[in-house]
Structures are given as C-alpha cells and as structure tokens.
Amino acid sequence: MKNVKEIKIEVKGKEWQDALDKAFTKKKKDIKVDGFRKGACPKDVYIKKVGIEALFMDACDIAIEDAYKKAFDDADMEIVCEPNVSIESVTKEAAVFVFTMIGRPEITLGDYKKLGVKKEKVKVTDEEIEHEIEHIKEHMAEIVNKKDGTVVEGNTAVIDFDGVVDGKPLDGGSGKNYSLEIGSHSFIPGFEEGVVGMKVDETKELKLTFPEDYTPELKGKDVTFTVTVREIKERIKPEINKDFFDDLGIEGVDSIEKLKEHVEEEMMHQKEHQAEDKFIDELLHKATDNMKVDINNEIIDSEVKRMLNQYRQELQMQGVTLEQYLSFTGTKMEDVENMMKPQAIARIKTRYLLEEIVKKEKIKVTDEEIKEEIKKASEQYEMKEDEFLSAIGGEEMIKYDLEMRKAIEIVKEG
C-alpha cells in the first residue's frame, strides 16, 4: 500500500559501542565469574568468557529508542499507528533495524452534503409521561420487610444458597444473606423462577442446568442449588401528596399537573438529544459510505487496542478487571477484539472523513473560540482551567474537537 514505508536505520560506531557498554552495565550486577566477586567482572573478561553476542539483545533494546526517532524523521509522513520493528542484522560493529511505518491512507471524499437524511420529529405521549411518573415513584419507594406472603416478581429475596455439581460444591456457587432482586436475571435461568413463591425460612432444592453459552467447564451441566429464604423485601411506592412533592425537591413542582409538565419537558429534551445523535450518526454513516479509503490492518488493530484500554478503564471504575470480566463471562480476548473491529473501522472512517472535510473546507478555529470552550468545559466539570487542559491533553485537543464539530455542521447542511 502507498502509505507503507520500510526504513532501515543502522546504529554503529560510538553510538553502538555505548549501547553495548550500557547493556553490560545492566547485566554486570548479576554476573558471577570465577576469580571475581559478583558484579565486579570487567567487560573484556566477560566478553572473552561468554562472547559479545550475550550483550546484543539488551544493546538493541537500548539503541532502538534513538533509532525510532531517526525512523520517524526519515519517514517524512504522518504516522498513524505504532510502527513494527525487526532486527535485520546485529554484529559487534553495528545493528540494523527495519521499521515498517504506516502513514495516513489516501482518502477520496464522496458526497458529504445534502445527503437526504431527515431528522426524526419527536413527541412525548401521555402514556410515556405516566410511565415516567411511575418510575419516579418506584425510585422513591420505601423498602420494607414483608412479614407474610411469598416471594413475587419485583421483591428482593435475602437468601442463603449452596450449589453442587457432579456431587461437589460449586466453586463460587454459595452465599449467605445474598440480596437477590427477582426479575434481575442475575442468576442462571430457572433460579429466580424457583425462588418465586417461597416463604421466609423455607428451604428448597432447585435442580437446574447451566446454559450452553456458559463457561466451557460448566455449560450444559446439571446443578442443584439448596436455597433458604431469610427475608423478603418489597418496595412500597409513595402516595402523590404534599409529602411526595416535598421529598421530590423539584423547584416549582407542587402538583400533579406541574409534575407532568416538568416530566414532559425533560423527556422532550432527552428525545431531541437522542434524535440529534441518531441524525448525525446516519449522516456520517452515509458520508463515510461515499468516501473511498483503504485502511491497513495495523491501523484497525491500533484502534481496537485503544478501545480495549477504554473498556478496561470503565471496568476498573466498577471494581472489575478486564481479565476478571473475561473469566466471569467465559469470553476470550480474541472474541472481544473481533467484536470491536466493526466499531473500530467505523470510528476510523468517521475520523478520516471529518479531518478531510476540515482540510477541504479550510475550517479554522480562532483563539477566542478555544478560550471560550476551555472556560465553558472547565466550569462544566468543576475544574480549574489548567487542570482541565492537563487532563485532556492541552489546547490542541480543544482545537481538534472544535474542528470536528464544525465539520459535522457542514455535513448537516441541506
């Protein structure tokens, strides 16, 4: 492909000898040679005993950093992902590295204006307003112990449970005073259904089967859970009265009529926002379909890696590592990467589309616009301006984001 360059960088002379010296210094502390205390062996003695070749790999690791910089300078192209590097040859006199540099691919814009996409008109129905008010009441519901009766859908059953597979306790399949919301489907199929109808202090055996899409060691296997209900909790929704509006705490909302007006306004705003996002997504999808670009596999892999890192961070915020998530769900890393590829390709195409529109339309962002955006965004996130800039990577990121937004506005024309 035209955007791929192979660049050879030779490291020789003093630069290579310095790398060999540093490699020996790194190894020296662990070297034990007869006649010398550990870490005190001279370099020439070490080389005579084991050969200079023993230093080559460490020396290459040291020399490759400066070689990278030279390769970037020699490439004379916009590098868009991490280069691949291989060692062509290495001797006591020199090392030769081969860098495969991937530049920005050639992009040919198609139609990106007047694409015939219509923005959806939104409305809020009376039924949706009533449903949202019920949701508000559900959110404000009081959780109380259910003294009599049985577990029903929507209750929370506090249970003890023990699972047995193949006559042995199921690893991770037991719990005490576990709060199970009936309807959450957090256990395997049949478990929650089996708890429905149970009373407090009742014990029951649930004979179930793990689904075929479960972890390899358990899928399709029979399991027996012994379940005891310790408590049943139910949600009691509040009556709509003065206390309800006081607890709700929305300024100016003190009647059912005003609550409906408030709910309609909030839902309308949300629907308009969703309709705008959908409108833009459809426009960008159509514009990228009209665009011609060949994307290297290396660029796609780089984007997938970036998405995986973002996902890893999101999971960590929930107290779960990516490795734990893969184990819980019985998913392979390869499967996650393959699942992310279509989205990665779409993101790359959208980015290239908008960047190319910025060039073609000669979009400019003024210093005043950047300052105003920094001020607005830092206030939104309740941060000092310098802290906000440091967190996002500086003014260039603000400038880039504003350019992308202006490009989107151009796509929306017509």
Side-chain angles (χ1 to χ4, degrees):
M1 298 175 78
K2 292 180 180 179
N3 64 324
V4 179
K5 283 186 181 179
E6 279 198 352
I7 296 176
K8 289 186 182 183
I9 300 294
E10 184 180 22
V11 180
K12 58 183 179 179
K14 184 177 184 304
E15 189 177 357
W16 179 239
Q17 294 309 311
D18 286 346
L20 289 168
D21 287 343
K22 289 177 182 176
F24 174 72
T25 301
K26 179 183 174 183
K27 281 181 172 289
K28 185 178 179 180
K29 64 180 183 297
D30 297 318
I31 295 171
K32 180 70 176 76
V33 175
D34 291 344
F36 299 91
R37 70 179 186 278
K38 187 177 180 180
C41 176
K43 181 183 172 186
D44 57 340
V45 174
Y46 173 77
I47 290 173
K48 188 174 181 180
K49 186 170 182 65
V50 300
I52 195 170
E53 293 81 6
L55 299 176
F56 284 171
M57 285 304 99
D58 284 331
C60 284
D61 289 342
I62 292 163
I64 209 164
E65 188 175 335
D66 287 336
Y68 255 121
K69 295 173 186 175
K70 291 177 184 176
F72 271 97
D73 292 340
D74 292 354
D76 192 27
M77 63 195 296
E78 182 185 349
I79 308 301
V80 295
C81 63
E82 190 74 16
N84 289 323
V85 60
S86 61
I87 301 170
E88 184 178 85
S89 64
V90 56
T91 66
K92 63 181 180 180
E93 285 84 21
V96 178
F97 303 103
V98 179
F99 293 87
T100 304
M101 316 294 276
I102 310 291
R104 182 186 175 86
E106 185 177 329
I107 299 162
T108 304
L109 286 173
D111 292 336
Y112 57 88
K113 295 181 185 178
K114 298 180 180 178
L115 296 172
V117 177
K118 299 295 182 185
K119 185 176 177 179
E120 180 185 347
K121 291 182 180 179
V122 300
K123 65 176 183 178
V124 178
T125 66
D126 291 342
E127 290 78 9
E128 287 173 324
I129 293 171
E130 292 295 339
H131 183 271
E132 181 59 23
I133 290 174
E134 284 301 310
H135 181 72
I136 291 170
K137 289 169 66 178
E138 180 72 27
H139 181 71
M140 295 173 66
E142 183 184 2
I143 300 174
V144 298
N145 278 345
K146 191 174 178 179
K147 300 297 183 184
D148 300 310
T150 61
V151 177
V152 298
E153 187 82 8
N155 286 170
T156 294
V158 181
I159 60 172
D160 295 343
F161 64 96
D162 291 288
V164 175
V165 174
D166 295 335
K168 298 177 182 178
L170 173 62
D171 187 25
S174 64
K176 297 287 185 185
N177 294 316
Y178 182 90
S179 294
L180 174 64
E181 183 182 342
I182 305 301
S184 65
H185 306 297
S186 52
F187 275 50
I188 65 171
F191 191 98
E192 291 176 28
E193 292 83 350
V195 175
V196 169
M198 292 181 67
K199 299 176 182 178
V200 172
D201 293 330
E202 180 181 352
T203 298
K204 185 177 181 181
E205 279 194 353
L206 306 178
K207 295 184 182 299
L208 306 172
T209 302
F210 284 103
E212 290 298 326
D213 60 355
Y214 210 71
T215 56
E217 64 273 16
L218 292 174
K219 66 178 182 179
K221 283 201 169 190
D222 293 332
V223 56
T224 299
F225 286 101
T226 302
V227 182
T228 302
V229 174
R230 297 303 182 192
E231 292 179 78
I232 304 173
K233 297 182 179 181
E234 61 181 337
R235 304 174 71 86
I236 306 297
K237 295 180 185 179
E239 296 291 327
I240 294 183
N241 51 29
K242 184 179 183 302
D243 290 339
F244 171 81
F245 292 115
D246 288 344
D247 291 341
L248 191 59
I250 300 175
E251 188 175 351
V253 175
D254 55 9
S255 69
I256 188 64
E257 291 75 23
K258 289 181 180 178
L259 176 59
K260 287 181 178 180
E261 288 175 8
H262 172 80
V263 167
E264 182 177 15
E265 184 181 327
E266 289 292 311
M267 293 187 75
M268 196 70 183
H269 176 75
Q270 183 181 15
K271 283 193 169 189
E272 285 173 348
H273 183 73
Q274 290 170 345
E276 176 73 3
D277 286 346
K278 183 182 176 185
F279 176 55
I280 291 171
D281 285 346
E282 289 176 355
L283 283 168
L284 294 176
H285 181 75
K286 199 162 186 178
T288 54
D289 279 350
N290 294 337
M291 176 181 75
K292 291 181 180 177
V293 59
D294 289 326
I295 304 173
N296 311 65
N297 288 329
E298 292 87 348
I299 298 175
I300 297 169
D301 292 342
S302 179
E303 186 67 24
V304 168
K305 188 181 293 185
R306 187 179 295 114
M307 291 169 64
L308 267 175
N309 286 335
Q310 290 173 347
Y311 190 46
R312 186 185 293 274
Q313 290 169 7
E314 289 168 9
L315 287 171
Q316 284 175 343
M317 290 175 68
Q318 300 171 37
V320 180
T321 67
L322 179 58
E323 290 70 24
Q324 286 172 329
Y325 169 79
L326 294 176
S327 177
F328 294 158
T329 58
T331 310
K332 296 178 181 177
M333 182 70 78
E334 182 184 353
D335 296 332
V336 177
E337 291 172 349
N338 288 335
M339 183 178 64
M340 286 182 169
K341 274 189 179 180
Q343 187 184 351
I345 292 168
R347 283 170 58 159
I348 295 164
K349 285 185 175 180
T350 299
R351 187 162 65 240
Y352 286 163
L353 169 81
L354 296 176
E355 289 172 353
E356 204 65 21
I357 291 172
V358 168
K359 291 179 186 177
K360 185 171 182 179
E361 298 285 343
K362 296 181 172 58
I363 291 173
K364 302 294 180 187
V365 174
T366 66
D367 291 342
E368 288 72 23
E369 287 173 316
I370 293 172
K371 288 178 183 176
E372 180 60 30
E373 182 62 22
I374 293 169
K375 182 175 183 294
K376 185 171 71 174
S378 58
E379 287 174 355
Q380 179 185 345
Y381 291 105
E382 299 179 345
M383 298 172 70
K384 293 180 180 178
E385 290 187 9
D386 57 342
E387 291 174 350
F388 171 74
L389 281 176
S390 176
I392 65 163
E395 286 191 11
E396 279 302 310
M397 293 303 296
I398 293 286
K399 179 174 179 287
Y400 180 83
D401 185 58
L402 289 171
E403 287 173 345
M404 297 299 100
R405 286 193 232 166
K406 289 189 175 189
I408 288 172
E409 289 304 312
I410 288 173
V411 177
K412 286 166 65 177
E413 287 179 10

